[in-house]
Structures are given as C-alpha cells and as structure tokens.
Amino acid sequence: MDDPTTVSNQRNQSAPETPRLNLPARMSDSSVYLENLPSRTMHINRLINSNYNGSPSRTIYSDRFIPSRSGSNFALFDISNSPTSAEGKEDGSGTYNSLLRAALFGPYTPDKKDSLGSPACRNIFRYKTETKRSLHSFSPFGLDESVPGIIHSPVKAPRKVPRSPYKVLDAPALQDDFYLNLVDWSSNNVLAVGLGNCVYLWNACSSKVTKLCDLGIDDSVCSVGWAQRGTHLAVGTSNGKVQIWDASRCRRIRTMEGHRLRVGALAWSSSLLSSGSRDKSILQRDIRVQDDFASKLSGHKSEVCGLKWSYDNRELASGGNDNKLFVWNQHSTQPVLKYCDHTAAVKAIAWSPHLHGLLASGGGTADRCIRFWNTTTNAHLSCMDTGSQVCNLVWSKNVNELVSTHGYSQNQIIVWRYPTMSKLATLTGHTYRVLYLAISPDGQTIVTGAGDETLRFWNVFPSPKSQNTDSEIGASSLGRTTIR
C-alpha cells in the first residue's frame, strides 16, 4: 500500500497544485488530471449542439401521463394542501398560490379512515372512478369556500310548503260527486260552498258564515261560480236552472233556463256566463239581456263537467265525461280545437296566467295524467302520470307552479313546479276524494273539499313580490269550526 506520508510530500512539492482524482495506485493519475478535460468537454458540447437525428423507424412520444391527485394522501409526504404563511403576503401571492393549488390538486379533505397504519394508505396515489360532478366543479378555482378572495353566490334553499292545513271547516252534506263543482273563492275574499240544497258564504277575513239561499227539498246545488268582480254568484241546480244572486244583499236577481238536466259546471267571462250540463251542451248567457242564453255550443257526447275561460277571455276550454277536451272561441258554436288523448273524464282544467295559450288538463281514474297543451300552435306539450285520479287543477298567479287534487286511490294534493313537473310537496289529510279546489284572491292559499265533509285550507304558494305583508286569510284563528 502507498505510504500516506509520501503521497502528502509529493502533493506539496508539485507546483502549481492541481486537483487529483482518488485513484488506485496502479493507475497513472497523470492521464486523468482535470487539466486534460477541456478537450473532452468541447467534444461533448459539439455532440449536444449538433442536429442529432434519431432513427427514422423509431417513434418518439413526448406526452406524459399526469395522474389525478384529487385522491392522494399528501399527509404521508408531510405536504400541506392549504396555504400557510403565504396568505399573509400583501402582494397577493398567497391567494394566487392557494388558487393554483386548489385548481391542480383539488380541495384537501383528510380521510379519517386513511391513517398511516391502515391498508388503504399502501397506495399513495390511489386511482378511483370519477363521480358525476356539477358544471361548477370544472371551474379552475373549484368551489372551495376556504379559498380567500373568492365570493360565491349563496345557493337558494328550496321553498318549504307546510304539510298540514292551517284551518279545517266542517262542511256537512258536501257531496262526494266527481262531476260537481261546489266550491269557489271570490275576488272579495269570500268562499261560496254548496251543501245539499243550500249555499253558504264564508268570509275569510272575519270567518263569518252567511246562508245565501235554500233551493228547497226538490232541488240541490250542483255548481257555484263567482263573477270576476266578486259581487254576484251563479248557482247551477239539479233541475237544469242557473240562478244569479247578489251576494252583498243575499238577494236573487234572476233565474235562467235552457238546460234539461243538472248544471255541473260554470265559468264567467266579464258579463258572459257559460254553463255546462249533463245534457251534453254548453250555453252562453249574457246577463245584461233578457234572453236566457245567447248561443248553444254542441260537441260533447256526454256530460260537461269542466269549464274554464282563459285569462284574456278569448278562449273557453271544456271537458266532458266523453274523455274529450275542447277549446272554443267567443264566436264559435263548434270547437276550434279538439284533444282526445285522455282516456277518462276531463274535469280538471287550468289556464296558465304566465304564458298565453298554455292549458293544463287532468284525466279521471282510468287516465290519471296531467297533460299540457299550446292552444296557439295546437301542440301537445307534455304528459305526467300522477298515479291517481285527477280531480282539479289550479295555477299559481305568483310563481310558475300549479297544484292538483286527486281521488282514487291516494286522495292527495300535489304542488308541482312547471315545466319540470317536479314535486314540491305532497299534502295528505282528506280521507275521501279531493273533489273540490279553489284558490284565494292573493294566490297564496288554496281550499280543498272532499266527501269526508271537510274543507281544508293550505298555504302552498309564496306571496307576490310586491306584497310584503302577510295575507289576511291566515289571520283567522286556527282550529276546526263548522260552515253551517
């Protein structure tokens, strides 16, 4: 072996001193002095700077596989996925770094199950199937609320509809007949109800009950309908007559004839009153003239059980026990539109107050569907199978929603959002078919009636945007009273 002292003396005697490599003694270190390296370095540089072309038969791929690190466990590397001291910098670099980190790695949420001793942490970068993400998740900044400098708009919570009625009225002798229309709510906030052979008025502001009329033992009430001003009430009878009453004075103004059988449907259009009967006809009556009716509309092959004028008073929709839905104009004696898609009686009819020409209709037990029509283009828009007999439909004036009441076999009340027809609420409580439905003048409350001889009041729709005060309807005391 070499003597360390001899090697040290040789190093001290050489001038100038040059660095040597630590080589075995048998090799000549003069050949590997660093002073001989410049020539080799120049040769390597020439190779690097030259245009080197690889073999043409070999394909070179430059793309790299970048794995998703959203499921990575950075705790194993002692890497923090949240900004630390950088957030305090005044130049905003901390905010930028946190945004960039969130965009690249995603929000960091430590997994409680993944500890250093658990088997789940054996694979540091875990591959997992991507789940369905919202469109907001594709934003480069994500939806991490912890990221400073980003203000997210608040998510509107779904509106809650009370599941129980705020008031219940006993309504003795309220008939369980699908083809009748015995409940209507006036623009003056007065509810009219036909019970047996009598009509009662219930004031929603004062809860006062007034007996309007008594038809006698030989007649009964089949339909009631308020005029648009809310001062006059039309009453259809089982004898085929239509009576007009002044509600403020409780005085009958006139009686009009023309039908041979019961009058189960009524609809007002200004001073024009339409009446539908079991004799399959619809009579148009102008109460300003002495004639009992101005025209007769023929088309249905069975009892007319549904009548509704559009909000612009230009179109009349009628539904019958012949499973047909017809649309008439002001001057026609024959239907201008015929819809024959329903497979059961059509009693439930509602015009949209939000879109001109949008009509909704519901079918009976064998149909169970709510259908939507565009009477302007004569198009069938959509159909929703509700699973139960559709008895009534009414549209909200305040929002684009509607409510339906049902009979066999669920006896439920459903609040729908249009046009998605998603259910906002399903209300139960009636033990019989919910055959009668009316809406309050402010558009917030509905009243439902059934063969269980009860009237139930529900707050289902929001108030109009211009109205900040609570409705007078809900100011009455809660509890259960009788209407007669």
Side-chain angles (χ1 to χ4, degrees):
M1 293 181 63
D2 292 335
D3 186 1
T5 305
T6 306
V7 175
S8 175
N9 294 333
Q10 293 177 358
R11 184 178 302 170
N12 295 333
Q13 293 176 0
S14 61
E17 183 179 0
T18 57
R20 300 174 181 268
L21 297 178
N22 187 14
L23 299 174
R26 292 173 297 182
M27 294 183 63
S28 175
D29 57 352
S30 60
S31 61
V32 291
Y33 282 152
L34 294 178
E35 61 185 8
N36 297 326
L37 293 178
S39 59
R40 299 183 181 183
T41 304
M42 294 176 60
H43 177 69
I44 294 174
N45 289 338
R46 285 196 299 269
L47 291 177
I48 295 175
N49 296 330
S50 64
N51 294 327
Y52 174 77
N53 294 326
S55 173
S57 62
R58 181 180 180 183
T59 304
I60 299 177
Y61 297 94
S62 61
D63 292 340
R64 294 179 298 129
F65 170 73
I66 302 177
S68 173
R69 294 177 172 82
S70 60
S72 303
N73 191 351
F74 290 93
L76 295 179
F77 299 96
D78 196 20
I79 297 178
S80 175
N81 200 30
S82 59
T84 55
S85 60
E87 293 182 356
K89 296 184 180 180
E90 296 180 357
D91 58 357
S93 61
T95 302
Y96 172 78
N97 292 335
S98 61
L99 292 176
L100 183 60
R101 186 185 300 272
L104 294 176
F105 301 104
Y108 176 65
T109 54
D111 191 354
K112 295 181 179 179
K113 296 181 180 179
D114 295 342
S115 60
L116 293 177
S118 62
C121 291
R122 293 176 181 175
N123 294 328
I124 299 172
F125 296 100
R126 298 190 301 271
Y127 293 92
K128 64 179 181 178
T129 305
E130 289 290 334
T131 57
K132 188 175 181 181
R133 303 168 67 185
S134 64
L135 294 178
H136 299 287
S137 63
F138 293 99
S139 168
F141 305 113
L143 290 177
D144 190 3
E145 298 292 342
S146 63
V147 177
I150 300 298
I151 300 176
H152 301 282
S153 58
V155 179
K156 186 177 181 181
R159 179 169 55 86
K160 294 183 178 180
V161 179
R163 294 302 197 272
S164 58
Y166 72 86
K167 191 175 187 63
V168 179
L169 293 178
D170 285 326
L174 185 61
Q175 297 188 53
D176 184 26
D177 193 327
F178 177 80
Y179 301 99
L180 306 185
N181 293 273
L182 298 176
V183 177
D184 197 20
W185 207 326
S186 77
S187 58
N188 290 337
N189 212 5
V190 178
L191 186 70
V193 184
L195 301 178
N197 53 8
C198 299
V199 176
Y200 291 87
L201 306 180
W202 180 78
N203 191 305
C205 298
S206 62
S207 296
K208 181 182 178 181
V209 178
T210 303
K211 184 178 180 179
L212 179 67
C213 65
D214 189 341
L215 302 181
I217 193 173
D218 297 330
D219 206 351
S220 62
V221 180
C222 295
S223 57
V224 293
W226 284 103
Q228 293 171 339
R229 293 184 178 180
T231 56
H232 292 78
L233 180 70
V235 179
T237 71
S238 60
N239 289 336
K241 299 179 181 180
V242 176
Q243 299 181 1
I244 307 297
W245 286 78
D246 185 344
S248 60
R249 301 178 182 179
C250 293
R251 184 168 61 93
R252 186 177 61 186
I253 296 177
R254 61 182 299 184
T255 300
M256 296 178 289
E257 300 182 353
H259 289 298
R260 295 179 290 104
L261 300 173
R262 69 180 183 182
V263 180
L266 296 168
W268 285 89
S269 172
S270 186
S271 59
L272 184 66
L273 173 64
S274 303
S275 60
S277 172
R278 199 171 191 173
D279 63 9
K280 311 173 188 177
S281 66
I282 301 171
L283 297 181
Q284 305 281 50
R285 310 173 186 270
D286 191 339
I287 62 172
R288 298 171 297 181
V289 301
Q290 294 183 350
D291 296 337
D292 284 337
F293 61 93
S295 62
K296 182 177 182 179
L297 310 183
S298 301
H300 285 287
K301 304 300 181 182
S302 188
E303 180 173 7
V304 179
C305 52
L307 279 178
K308 286 291 169 58
W309 278 97
S310 61
Y311 281 88
D312 58 5
N313 293 325
R314 293 184 179 180
E315 294 178 307
L316 174 68
S318 65
N321 197 28
D322 55 359
N323 309 343
K324 302 295 190 297
L325 173 67
F326 293 158
V327 178
W328 320 71
N329 61 29
Q330 293 174 316
H331 310 290
S332 66
T333 56
Q334 294 294 323
V336 294
L337 297 175
K338 297 182 179 180
Y339 301 120
C340 307
D341 295 60
H342 286 290
T343 57
V346 181
K347 176 192 177 185
I349 300 174
W351 292 92
S352 170
H354 310 288
L355 185 62
H356 175 73
L358 178 58
L359 176 64
S361 61
T365 307
D367 183 83
R368 306 181 306 275
C369 292
I370 300 176
R371 297 180 182 270
F372 295 91
W373 319 86
N374 188 334
T375 61
T376 303
T377 61
N378 191 21
H380 182 203
L381 301 178
S382 60
C383 175
M384 169 61 69
D385 189 345
T386 66
S388 296
Q389 175 189 40
V390 184
C391 301
N392 293 279
L393 288 169
V394 68
W395 224 293
S396 169
K397 299 182 296 183
N398 306 331
V399 289
N400 201 12
E401 299 171 2
L402 69 158
V403 63
S404 59
T405 67
H406 301 268
Y408 303 122
S409 58
Q410 303 296 323
N411 303 332
Q412 79 272 42
I413 304 161
I414 303 178
V415 184
W416 308 86
R417 177 181 285 115
Y418 187 83
T420 61
M421 289 305 287
S422 57
K423 292 183 181 181
L424 292 176
T426 300
L427 312 177
T428 57
H430 285 290
T431 56
Y432 280 65
R433 297 179 296 174
V434 189
L435 298 177
Y436 310 111
L437 172 66
I439 189 169
S440 63
D442 65 359
Q444 295 180 244
T445 305
I446 62 169
V447 59
T448 57
D452 56 11
E453 299 184 345
T454 63
L455 296 173
R456 298 172 184 266
F457 295 80
W458 317 77
N459 286 319
V460 295
F461 295 128
S463 61
K465 295 181 180 179
S466 60
Q467 180 178 343
N468 296 323
T469 58
D470 293 335
S471 171
E472 292 180 312
I473 302 167
S476 57
S477 60
L478 303 180
R480 182 160 179 163
T481 59
T482 182
I483 201 171
R484 66 184 301 180

